[in-house]
Amino acid sequence: MSVTAENKYYTLEEISRHDGKQDTRVWIIIKDIVYDVTDYLDEHPGGGELITEWAGKDATKEFDDFGHSLDAKKDLKKYHIGEVVEEQRKKKTKTDNKKLITVPKNQKMLDSSNFRYRKSCISIITCGILA
């Protein structure tokens, strides 16, 4: 585990040991954030078994698929203990999602006065309505 002044970072191996069996604590990962939910197991409306099924693992998909309320998401913050180390995260960073678009030199850049060639959703909808 590495520590900064603001947060603790855990490897997937470290997190997996907190499965309620190898260790008495139960940790889960949701969106690359690590939560120690041990003290919440008895309070979970669906029963602690639903959480322990994902103990020591990434439960993001299951958490999102269930459609938890905003209150549930706020309550989860109380159990936040750290994050997954950067190199093992599933979530892409903002720079991973950026794509470069190159325009060939001989292609003319379009301006707003020539809207029928623009490819935004608004232009397509507007052109469809006006056409």
Side-chain angles (χ1 to χ4, degrees):
M1 169 183 67
S2 56
V3 181
T4 67
E6 296 176 9
N7 211 349
K8 293 183 180 180
Y9 296 89
Y10 300 95
T11 65
L12 295 176
E13 180 184 350
E14 289 173 296
I15 297 163
S16 71
R17 289 188 292 236
H18 298 279
D19 61 0
K21 298 171 189 164
Q22 298 176 59
D23 181 69
T24 58
R25 306 304 297 175
V26 174
W27 292 7
I28 60 171
I29 304 165
I30 299 176
K31 297 181 180 170
D32 296 318
I33 304 295
V34 182
Y35 300 93
D36 182 345
V37 293
T38 309
D39 299 332
Y40 181 69
L41 295 175
D42 292 334
E43 299 173 31
H44 187 261
E49 302 81 31
L50 292 174
I51 297 174
T52 56
E53 182 179 342
W54 298 101
K57 303 176 198 167
D58 190 321
T60 302
K61 183 179 180 331
E62 291 69 22
F63 185 84
D64 287 345
D65 286 352
F66 185 78
H68 285 87
S69 68
L70 287 177
D71 287 339
K73 292 174 183 178
K74 286 179 187 175
D75 288 344
L76 190 60
K77 291 179 182 181
K78 292 187 280 190
Y79 305 101
H80 175 270
I81 59 167
E83 298 179 25
V84 176
V85 294
E86 187 79 32
E87 56 273 7
Q88 293 182 328
R89 292 181 182 193
K90 286 188 177 185
K91 184 169 61 173
K92 292 183 177 184
T93 61
K94 290 179 183 177
T95 56
D96 291 341
N97 294 329
K98 291 183 180 176
K99 294 180 182 176
L100 294 176
I101 299 173
T102 56
V103 178
K105 289 181 181 179
N106 61 348
Q107 185 174 347
K108 181 179 163 185
M109 291 297 293
L110 303 174
D111 60 31
S112 59
S113 64
N114 196 0
F115 73 90
R116 63 185 167 155
Y117 294 109
R118 293 177 53 117
K119 294 186 180 188
S120 72
C121 293
I122 300 299
S123 297
I124 292 169
I125 292 169
T126 304
C127 290
I129 293 170
L130 298 175

